[in-house]
Amino acid sequence: MLDATYRPEVEEFVFSWDESMARRPFYDPQPDGGIATDAWGEVVRHVIGKQLILPDTEKA
């Protein structure tokens, strides 16, 4: 479950979301010094999936 510390920041991000943000680039620095680039829409879908799936798998 998402840490309560981050809830206000996450809520602000989610409530301000608009369709154009789905295509905006997200730059993720890698340990090797490279930068992985994804779209914010992909990142958000991944996080949502982890929040929905991980709590159930952690109980097993």
Side-chain angles (χ1 to χ4, degrees):
M1 182 146 230
L2 187 64
D3 189 307
T5 304
Y6 300 107
R7 185 179 177 107
E9 184 178 350
V10 171
E11 281 184 348
E12 179 182 349
F13 180 83
V14 170
F15 290 137
S16 68
W17 184 267
D18 69 68
E19 188 58 35
S20 72
M21 294 171 72
R23 295 176 301 280
R24 289 184 188 170
F26 172 79
Y27 302 104
D28 185 17
Q30 301 294 297
D32 66 0
I35 297 178
T37 305
D38 292 298
W40 268 106
E42 289 295 318
V43 174
V44 169
R45 284 188 288 277
H46 177 78
V47 171
I48 290 169
K50 291 289 187 181
Q51 289 296 309
L52 294 174
I53 294 169
L54 281 180
D56 291 336
T57 59
E58 289 175 354
K59 293 176 186 175

